[in-house]
Amino acid sequence: MTHATPITQSPDSPDLTRIDDVLTVVAERQPEFEEKRHIPRDVIDVFKRAGIYRASTPKRFGGDPLPPARFLSLIERISAVDGSAGWVASFGSSLVYLAALPLETQAELYADGPDVVFAGGLFPVQTAERVEGGYRVRGRWKFASGCTGADVLGVGIKAGEDATGRPLTAVLRPGQVRIADNWNVVGMRGTGSHDLVVDGAVVPEEWTFVRGGEPTVDEALYRYPTVPYAAQVLAVVGLGVARAALDQAIAAGGRASYTGAPRPADRATYRIAVSQAEAQLRSARAFFYEATEETWETVVAGGPATARQTGLLRLAAAHLAKTSFEVVRAAYQLGGIAAIADDSPMQRYLRDASVVPQHAFLQEGMYDGAGAVLMGVQPFPGFL
């Protein structure tokens, strides 16, 4: 059982009645994701039919953009079933980046429909050669989660006078990119976060954008802070995994001990640890969604998010990732000797939750940036 915010259908929402189909498919095929180290395309198609990959497509191009809290709650639910599936589904938010492309480019991008899967390996940023009308792109980029099922791919470039400013993202079609199959990791094995390799493809200038740059689409979702949102959709994966792990620890309270000792639920130490973890997780979750809703109210009213709101979004995301891992670790320890078995779900929960706070957007340094904003001093570059 999970405790995510309920999602209800509304006229401007994706077909959320299909979310139960997503959860069923993910549960049935989770072992396959681990074995193949990616989410197969037919499962991505299930995600598309549920509206996950039109949840950040502009309305003007046929999309059904969801308010951030609603999308985050959706990813939380999927992640409680499988973290890798939640991570890949979370990139249904990534089309907010592409809202910085020229409108004519976006019209071409969505010409075949609003359900577009975008994946990117943006770092390390590679120098591109300026050519007439665009850039000649070559290099290798890491951590392109979900790239095997993507319709378009992004890579980070710099060229000429752009080299000292924020890098560009060049958008390519899969046929222009080679996926280097090298995602061999301890956790989030099913995300397919392989390297991308490009060898001299020419990308027109109108198919490049600055990540977090000024959007050309005037809709509320594209006024919501882009990079903090990218951190949030990953942090909430850890929340879903932690919820699943803690629910398992609670359910295990009634099991008989191998040694004949009292059941876990009859031990004060077990009850205390469970209740402390429950309080930790619910508190971090409440802060996370509170910051989200406050910022959303501001952008819906037409204003830009404040520096304080942006800082709190980043703080809440990093804190949620850290807390979720701590809760999973506590649940794993409560599992005792049974948790070390290869077929114990706790093994996967622990591995997956450990990956989330390792992401660059969610590491301990985010506390420093948020503290700087709260105290009115300049945070490190790129935080806001």
Side-chain angles (χ1 to χ4, degrees):
M1 177 181 178
T2 62
H3 302 279
T5 300
I7 300 177
T8 56
Q9 188 74 24
S10 71
D12 61 347
S13 296
D15 187 1
L16 298 178
T17 59
R18 293 180 179 262
I19 295 306
D20 286 343
D21 294 341
V22 170
L23 300 180
T24 298
V25 169
V26 169
E28 290 175 348
R29 299 184 60 181
Q30 184 281 321
E32 181 184 348
F33 305 160
E34 291 248 326
E35 179 185 354
K36 292 184 174 179
R37 294 176 297 117
H38 68 267
I39 308 299
R41 282 186 176 272
D42 64 312
V43 178
I44 297 296
D45 288 341
V46 174
F47 291 179
K48 283 186 176 183
R49 290 195 294 272
I52 291 170
Y53 289 111
R54 65 173 60 191
S56 63
T57 302
K59 285 185 180 179
R60 67 181 295 159
F61 297 115
D64 296 301
L66 283 180
R70 288 169 62 81
F71 184 77
L72 291 165
S73 182
L74 172 61
I75 300 306
E76 181 184 349
R77 291 179 63 189
I78 297 171
S79 301
V81 182
D82 179 63
S84 291
W87 191 274
V88 171
S90 79
F91 293 101
S93 68
S94 64
L95 297 178
V96 296
Y97 291 146
L98 275 61
L101 288 168
L103 290 176
E104 296 79 6
T105 304
Q106 293 185 61
E108 184 177 344
L109 176 69
Y110 300 117
D112 294 328
D115 302 294
V116 173
V117 183
F118 173 62
L122 304 183
F123 297 101
V125 175
Q126 304 287 353
T127 299
E129 175 191 356
R130 279 191 175 275
V131 297
E132 184 176 356
Y135 305 92
R136 188 177 301 280
V137 177
R138 55 171 45 90
R140 186 170 182 137
W141 294 262
K142 301 194 72 63
F143 307 125
S145 299
C147 59
T148 59
D151 300 310
V152 286
L153 297 156
V155 297
I157 63 170
K158 55 185 176 182
E161 64 269 21
D162 295 328
T164 58
R166 290 189 292 177
L168 293 171
T169 298
V171 180
L172 303 102
R173 297 290 180 177
Q176 298 173 290
V177 181
R178 178 172 66 85
I179 295 173
D181 187 335
N182 65 342
W183 186 239
N184 302 298
V185 291
V186 67
M188 294 292 178
R189 289 176 177 169
T191 62
S193 304
H194 306 294
D195 287 5
L196 301 181
V197 180
V198 181
D199 186 18
V202 174
V203 179
E205 188 160 3
E206 61 269 22
W207 283 89
T208 66
F209 65 92
V210 174
R211 186 173 65 168
E214 192 68 24
T216 57
V217 177
D218 185 19
E219 296 177 18
L221 182 59
Y222 313 103
R223 293 193 293 271
Y224 192 85
T226 305
V227 175
Y229 193 27
Q232 286 187 286
V233 299
L234 301 179
V236 82
V237 173
L239 172 60
V241 173
R243 184 69 262 169
L246 187 52
D247 283 348
Q248 180 171 319
I250 292 170
R255 73 166 187 265
S257 169
Y258 292 133
T259 64
R263 298 178 311 157
D266 295 329
R267 306 172 200 165
T269 53
Y270 196 96
R271 296 193 299 265
I272 290 169
V274 164
S275 62
Q276 287 176 334
E278 188 73 36
Q280 276 184 285
L281 193 62
R282 284 177 176 263
S283 297
R285 183 181 189 274
F287 173 33
F288 180 79
Y289 281 107
E290 176 189 284
T292 303
E293 293 286 14
E294 179 187 328
T295 306
W296 181 244
E297 288 176 7
T298 296
V299 301
V300 166
T306 66
R308 179 182 178 278
Q309 288 172 331
T310 301
L312 287 177
L313 289 177
R314 301 210 71 172
L315 173 61
H319 186 64
L320 184 64
K322 178 176 182 288
T323 301
S324 297
F325 179 43
E326 290 172 350
V327 166
V328 174
R329 188 166 52 191
Y332 177 83
Q333 290 175 324
L334 287 172
I337 196 68
I340 72 170
D342 282 343
D343 61 354
S344 169
M346 281 295 185
Q347 290 282 336
R348 175 165 49 90
Y349 299 150
L350 184 65
R351 290 187 282 103
D352 286 352
S354 72
V355 173
V356 182
Q358 298 294 101
H359 194 279
F361 283 171
L362 299 169
Q363 292 178 3
E364 290 280 325
M366 297 305 114
Y367 286 90
D368 172 50
V373 173
L374 290 171
M375 290 181 281
V377 301
Q378 187 66 30
F380 59 81
F383 181 77
L384 294 176

